[in-house]
Amino acid sequence: VPADGSHWLGMQEVLDSLRQKGHEVVVVAPEVTLHIKPSKNFVMKMYSVPFTQKELEKAFQAFFHGSFEEGWGLKRFLKMYTGMKTLTDCWVTSCEQLLQNKELIRYLEESKF
């Protein structure tokens, strides 16, 4: 269950390598992500989350722009903090939704994921 963003970009190479060695690869991800997309190299199991693609992208942009904005240090820090908090809230909500998805959890248990 990879995290979205740079973690996922690095994980893709590992998954491709495992697939080439004959392993079945299953990726569990929310329907709304920044980078995790279906691929012929793995089975994708997705679950719903209560935020939209646009909301997630807006949260990421707020964090990103706050990180590189010029200006007074405390003001930049507060913008960056607010953006990171919003992104973190999305990720925590995503994890909560996964754990509350009884059908997906049952699949994972039965397949000895």
Side-chain angles (χ1 to χ4, degrees):
V1 184
D4 206 353
S6 61
H7 295 90
W8 171 249
L9 299 176
M11 180 68 73
Q12 279 183 295
E13 288 186 38
V14 174
L15 299 181
D16 290 343
S17 179
L18 288 170
R19 179 74 174 157
Q20 288 172 3
K21 293 180 180 185
H23 296 277
E24 179 185 5
V25 178
V26 178
V27 173
V28 177
E31 290 176 333
V32 175
T33 68
L34 294 171
H35 300 289
I36 304 172
K37 305 297 179 211
S39 167
K40 65 181 185 334
N41 294 328
F42 52 80
V43 174
M44 188 89 164
K45 294 292 183 181
M46 301 184 93
Y47 58 94
S48 61
V49 290
F51 50 86
T52 66
Q53 186 72 35
K54 195 171 196 171
E55 290 169 326
L56 180 63
E57 289 171 3
K58 184 178 175 183
F60 180 75
Q61 289 298 324
F63 168 71
F64 184 76
H65 288 293
S67 300
F68 295 102
E69 189 175 279
E70 292 184 22
W72 193 57
L74 184 58
K75 184 178 179 182
R76 268 188 26 228
F77 172 78
L78 290 174
K79 282 187 176 186
M80 197 169 68
Y81 172 79
T82 301
M84 181 54 92
K85 178 162 180 1
T86 303
L87 266 180
T88 301
D89 290 346
C90 287
W91 291 327
V92 168
T93 299
S94 179
C95 290
E96 290 171 347
Q97 293 299 307
L98 167 61
L99 295 174
Q100 293 173 11
N101 187 319
K102 294 185 186 322
E103 182 180 327
L104 183 53
I105 294 296
R106 186 173 24 262
Y107 165 81
L108 296 174
E109 287 173 343
E110 289 173 358
S111 66
K112 308 225 184 307
F113 183 79

